[in-house]
């Protein structure tokens, strides 16, 4: 799709992103985020991940604004629903001076949302993790709603009671393990039964493989958690891969029954303690944080908000979604 625009006296062109725009997207990403992402990241997110995007180019055929996202299959109170997770919001520095007006960033987002989101569109709801300024701008321009802060949790590893080793087994799950798919899918089905009241992203083997194993620019580790009398693991824990000894551990995800979330937390803390990590952190929506209260986390100043994009086929109040989100639900951690 091509559309000519005239903004601040400059002729611009709006286009739907296609794979041939890879280098343009990467160039703007490097400029905005100082990232070192390469073509394999684009392939992972926009080809294998079936991502979509809308960009605006200037007369010199330079990408100056971009709104990107990827499909996220969700269960909304048990019903499978297509969401669109917005992940790449970018505008070149030359246009930041008009950030609060209808600039290229606005038109890229507006086109993305109005053509993809809503009851008669491919995706019922669009959502993303955004800093407070971006969230306020979206609300002001009618492009979205503020779904509330994402709590940032931290545990002091040395101060936590470890999960009893005589009762619980925490074992690495290799990315090439022949039983990985069966283990993850079994854990996901148990989680699905235990989270019927929530809106939760599907965490089956296909998703977990794409999100944590196939991703080219980050490294993660998977562990299984089981009780000594269980033949099969209760679930799968996903942790960050430390880049140096003594680095804080980031807990990305848990795939397993919600009632065992606190046990998963203690198991992750055991791994962190064995590695000599001083702290463990995660992001957890209010629905998840409530279930972690018994582990006594510290609540640090929040970094991001949940932003619900408009139009969206959803309840009037974003909290009614009862979103189950953890750090691994982001696209940048």
């Amino acid at each position: 799709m091509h559309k000519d625009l005239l903004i601040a006296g400059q002729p611009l062109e709006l286009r739907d992103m296609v794979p041939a725009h890879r280098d343009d997207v990467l160039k703007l990403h490097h400029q905005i985020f100082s990232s070192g992402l390469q073509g394999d990241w684009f392939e992972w997110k926009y080809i294998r991940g079936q991502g979509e995007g809308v960009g605006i180019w200037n007369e010199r055929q330079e990408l100056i604004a971009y709104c990107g996202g990827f499909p996220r299959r969700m269960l909304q109170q048990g019903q499978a629903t297509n969401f669109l997770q917005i992940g790449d919001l970018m505008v070149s520095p030359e246009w930041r001076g008009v950030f609060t007006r209808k600039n290229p960033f606005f038109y890229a987002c507006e086109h993305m949302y109005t053509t993809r989101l809503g009851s008669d569109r491919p995706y019922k709801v669009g959502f993303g993790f955004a800093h407070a300024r971006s969230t306020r701008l979206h609300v002001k321009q009618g492009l979205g709603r503020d779904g509330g802060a994402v709590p940032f949790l931290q545990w002091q590893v040395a101060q936590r009671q470890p999960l009893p080793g005589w009762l619980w087994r925490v074992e690495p799950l290799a990315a090439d393990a022949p039983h990985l798919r069966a283990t993850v899918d079994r854990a996901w089905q148990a989680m699905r039964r235990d989270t019927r009241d929530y809106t939760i992203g599907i965490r089956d083997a296909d998703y977990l493989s794409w999100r944590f194993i196939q991703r080219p620019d980050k490294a993660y580790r998977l562990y299984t958690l089981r009780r000594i009398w269980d033949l099969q693991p209760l679930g799968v824990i996903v942790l960050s891969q430390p880049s140096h000894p003594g680095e804080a551990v980031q807990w990305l995800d848990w795939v397993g029954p919600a009632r065992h979330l606190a046990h998963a937390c203690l198991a992750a803390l055991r791994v962190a303690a064995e590695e000599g990590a001083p702290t463990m952190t995660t992001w957890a929506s209010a629905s998840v944080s409530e279930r972690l209260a018994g582990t006594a986390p510290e609540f640090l100043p929040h970094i991001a908000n949940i932003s619900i994009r408009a139009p969206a086929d959803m309840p009037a109040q974003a909290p009614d979604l009862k979103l189950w989100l953890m750090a691994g639900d982001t696209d940048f951690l």
Side-chain angles (χ1 to χ4, degrees), residues 278-326:
T279 59
M280 184 180 79
T281 64
T282 195
W283 293 16
S285 61
S287 299
V288 179
S289 298
E290 290 172 0
R291 287 181 172 266
L292 291 170
T295 65
E298 304 170 46
F299 285 79
L300 302 180
H302 78 271
I303 300 173
N305 288 52
I306 301 171
S307 180
I308 306 298
R309 318 300 177 160
D313 182 14
M314 58 166 286
Q317 299 298 319
D320 293 342
L321 283 171
K322 289 192 68 176
L323 285 165
W324 182 287
L325 298 170
M326 292 189 67

Side-chain angles (χ1 to χ4, degrees), residues 103-297:
N103 67 356
F105 177 78
F106 168 84
Y107 285 105
C109 292
E110 180 191 47
H111 183 76
M112 180 77 159
Y113 303 160
T114 57
T115 58
R116 272 80 167 179
L117 306 178
S119 58
D120 59 345
R121 300 296 184 184
Y123 307 101
K124 183 177 182 180
V125 176
F127 77 100
F129 297 83
H131 56 71
R133 183 168 179 248
S134 177
T135 301
R136 288 195 300 269
L137 179 63
H138 266 69
V139 172
K140 182 177 181 179
Q141 294 185 322
L143 293 172
R145 312 178 199 174
D146 186 350
V150 183
F152 183 25
L153 282 60
Q154 176 178 275
W155 293 264
Q156 300 295 328
V157 175
Q159 299 176 11
R160 294 293 175 259
Q161 186 70 28
L163 196 68
W166 62 270
L167 180 60
W168 296 91
R169 295 286 184 266
V170 183
E171 300 166 336
L173 178 61
D176 59 353
H179 58 283
L180 183 144
R181 292 191 62 86
T183 298
V184 174
D185 282 339
R186 188 183 304 109
W188 163 242
Q189 289 305 320
M191 187 176 201
R192 179 174 184 166
R193 292 190 295 270
D194 213 20
T195 54
R196 291 186 179 275
D197 293 335
Y198 298 92
T199 298
I200 183 173
I202 290 177
R203 286 159 159 78
D204 60 11
D206 286 338
Y207 170 76
L208 213 73
S209 176
W210 173 77
R211 174 63 179 87
F212 298 113
I213 297 175
Q214 298 175 25
R215 181 161 187 159
D217 61 309
K218 294 186 181 295
Y220 308 101
R221 299 167 294 162
L222 278 59
Y223 294 86
T224 58
L225 174 65
R226 68 178 179 87
R227 293 167 296 204
I228 58 172
W229 59 78
D230 291 326
L231 294 177
Q232 301 294 341
L234 289 170
V236 177
I237 299 163
V238 184
L239 301 177
S240 63
Q241 177 66 58
S243 58
H244 56 81
E247 183 179 38
V249 167
Q250 193 170 51
W251 178 23
L252 278 298
D253 215 340
W254 161 248
V255 183
R259 62 185 178 276
H260 288 299
L261 182 68
H263 292 123
C265 177
L266 296 178
L269 283 167
R270 183 200 291 181
V271 174
E274 291 171 352
E275 296 176 345
T279 59
M280 184 180 79
T281 64
T282 195
W283 293 16
S285 61
S287 299
V288 179
S289 298
E290 290 172 0
R291 287 181 172 266
L292 291 170
T295 65

